[in-house]
Amino acid sequence: MIIGRVYGSIVSTHKLEPLVGYKFMLVQCIEKNQLVDKFLVAVDGVGAGIGEDVIITEGSSARKALTKPDVPVDAVIVGILDEKQA
C-alpha cells in the first residue's frame, strides 16, 4: 500500500465505459513522512478531498476494492488517514 496526499482531481470526458462514474484523483506520494516528487492517478473509493492524506492500494487489490472487478484500474484510494505515527 501507498500513503499519499490528494493533490487535485482529474476530469476525463472521454473514457472506457467501465470507468464511467468513477472519480479520479491526482495523489502525491509520501515517503518517510515527507511529500516526494512522485504522483499517481487513483480512483477515489472513499470520497477523499483535496489535501487529505490517503491510503492507496494497487494492482489486483485495487480492482477488488471496487464493486465491479472488471474495471481497468491500477490504483484505488481505500482509506483516509486520521493521523500518522512515526
Side-chain angles (χ1 to χ4, degrees), residues 59-73:
S60 63
S61 296
R63 286 187 299 281
K64 289 179 182 178
L66 299 175
T67 56
K68 297 185 267 180
D70 62 338
V71 178
V73 299

